[in-house]
């Protein structure tokens, strides 16, 4: 999702009357075209295929893990890929987490055209694969940026053991100013699902996120607290839109080893990470 602001600029140019050849959806979903490959990976992984309910065969990637660690279904951001997700989560894979890295229709050589509805069908298919792989293990849904919107919707349809979102916005149109909002075809209304979801939710946002402002994380945190949701926010001082993979591992471990019904311990994460339970009045700020 690192090119989201470029997308929004492009939408603004369209509104201003500049001639653009590509549709708005191509700006929302700037899909990598290169087919998935395991070449150069430092962890064992394979390319897998799933079938969606509307009949598309989509390729993604899987890295196996240990039987005492959860299976992470990772839904990547709008300009990323399953291969990028495996690279990013390499520290977690090395620590024994299994990762099912979804890829979307229209991405990495997959057939189809991406949309909010299409990504929902894609996420369902990859979740089925993750559950089959997990057996008796926990399944966590992890969504980054735009993938956080897909993850929150998926968690409402089929609740996981844990939901994790990283750098996720309140709704897609809140990333656009003025009349340009009307040109965004997909909603991703995360602010509604912040109130209604039931899975334990852990919200990760970097203070230095220059793609999705920290204020979006503040709003989602407040809504989750008002709804009485189980979970907490991890606010990373100096963290950007895609936090370091080692820091991500420390956060995952803090979630995994928390006592049932209690928030993760601040002692389990680096000093740069603030753990703020939902409902706590302390604001998400660097101060």
């Amino acid at each position: 999702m690192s090119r989201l602001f470029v997308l929004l600029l492009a939408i603004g140019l369209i509104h201003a009357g500049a001639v653009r050849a590509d549709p708005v959806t191509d700006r929302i979903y700037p899909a990598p075209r290169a087919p998935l490959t395991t070449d150069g990976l430092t962890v064992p992984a394979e390319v897998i295929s799933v079938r969606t309910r509307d009949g598309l065969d989509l390729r993604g990637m899987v890295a196996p893990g240990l039987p005492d660690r959860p299976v992470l279904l990772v839904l990547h951001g709008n300009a990323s890929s399953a291969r990028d997700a495996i690279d990013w989560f390499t520290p977690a894979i090395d620590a024994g987490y299994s990762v099912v890295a979804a890829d979307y229709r229209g991405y990495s050589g997959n057939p189809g055209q991406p949309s909010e509805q299409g990504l929902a069908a894609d996420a369902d298919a990859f979740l089925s694969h993750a559950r089959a792989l997990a057996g008796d293990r926990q399944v966590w849904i992890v969504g980054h940026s735009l993938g956080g919107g897909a993850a929150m919707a998926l968690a409402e349809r089929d609740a996981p053991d844990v939901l994790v979102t990283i750098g996720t916005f309140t709704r897609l149109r809140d990333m656009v100013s003025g009349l340009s909002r009307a040109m965004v075809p997909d909603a991703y209304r995360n602010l509604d699902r912040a109130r209604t979801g039931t899975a334990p939710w852990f919200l990760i946002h970097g203070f230095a996120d220059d793609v999705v402002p920290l204020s979006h994380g503040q709003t989602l945190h407040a809504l989750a607290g008002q709804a009485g949701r189980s979970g907490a926010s991890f606010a990373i001082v100096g963290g950007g839109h895609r936090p370091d993979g080692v820091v991500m591992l420390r956060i995952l471990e803090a979630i995994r080893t928390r006592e049932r019904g209690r928030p993760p311990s601040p002692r389990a994460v680096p000093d740069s990470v603030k753990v703020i339970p939902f409902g706590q009045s302390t604001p998400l700020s660097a101060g």
Side-chain angles (χ1 to χ4, degrees), residues 238-261:
H241 189 55
R242 177 167 158 160
D244 178 78
V246 174
V247 173
M248 286 296 306
L249 170 60
R250 293 284 298 275
I251 292 173
L252 294 174
E253 285 289 271
I255 296 170
R256 185 178 68 86
T257 59
R258 76 192 190 283
E259 295 182 22
R260 185 177 298 274

Side-chain angles (χ1 to χ4, degrees), residues 15-276:
H15 176 70
V19 177
R20 308 290 305 193
D22 298 328
V24 173
T25 52
D26 287 346
R27 307 296 184 187
I28 298 173
Y29 305 101
R33 302 300 182 187
L36 295 175
T37 175
T38 60
D39 293 347
L41 287 176
T42 61
V43 292
E46 63 177 327
V47 177
I48 55 99
S49 180
V50 302
R51 173 157 286 197
T52 66
R53 60 176 174 265
D54 55 347
L56 293 182
D57 291 317
L58 303 181
R59 290 175 295 279
M61 299 187 75
V62 171
L66 299 176
D68 63 343
R69 296 291 191 278
V71 174
L72 310 179
L73 170 61
V74 180
L75 303 175
H76 63 70
N78 77 329
S80 191
S81 70
R83 167 62 188 256
D84 292 338
I86 294 292
D87 281 331
W88 185 17
F89 281 84
T90 287
I93 295 166
D94 284 337
Y97 287 82
S98 296
V99 170
V100 175
D103 229 334
Y104 311 136
R105 58 189 64 203
Y107 279 68
S108 303
N110 281 334
Q113 178 71 26
S115 65
E116 185 174 11
Q117 182 178 1
L119 264 63
D122 304 344
D124 286 339
F126 280 101
L127 179 59
S128 294
H129 188 93
R131 292 199 184 282
L133 174 66
D136 294 334
R137 288 183 287 167
Q138 289 193 347
V139 173
W140 297 9
I141 298 173
V142 181
H144 176 228
S145 200
L146 184 77
M152 292 182 74
L154 175 60
E156 284 207 335
R157 295 192 301 275
D158 191 346
D161 294 285
V162 168
L163 169 66
V164 178
T165 60
I166 309 159
T168 295
F169 46 81
T170 52
R171 60 175 184 158
L172 189 58
R173 289 179 181 175
D174 289 340
M175 298 292 293
V176 185
S177 62
L179 295 176
S180 298
R181 291 182 176 181
M183 304 187 70
V184 178
D186 291 331
Y188 294 102
R189 292 185 58 86
N190 302 326
L191 75 175
D192 294 337
R193 296 185 174 106
R195 302 182 181 97
T196 58
T198 59
W201 178 25
F202 298 93
L203 187 160
I204 301 170
H205 215 113
F207 289 128
D209 191 330
D210 61 355
V211 176
V212 179
L214 180 63
S215 60
H216 288 246
Q218 291 174 316
T219 298
L220 294 175
H221 175 91
L223 292 171
Q226 292 166 13
R229 289 198 63 166
S230 171
S233 288
F234 293 87
I236 307 174
V237 178
H241 189 55
R242 177 167 158 160
D244 178 78
V246 174
V247 173
M248 286 296 306
L249 170 60
R250 293 284 298 275
I251 292 173
L252 294 174
E253 285 289 271
I255 296 170
R256 185 178 68 86
T257 59
R258 76 192 190 283
E259 295 182 22
R260 185 177 298 274
R262 297 179 61 84
S265 169
R267 295 187 298 274
V269 294
D271 293 340
S272 61
V273 180
K274 294 185 176 184
V275 182
I276 309 170

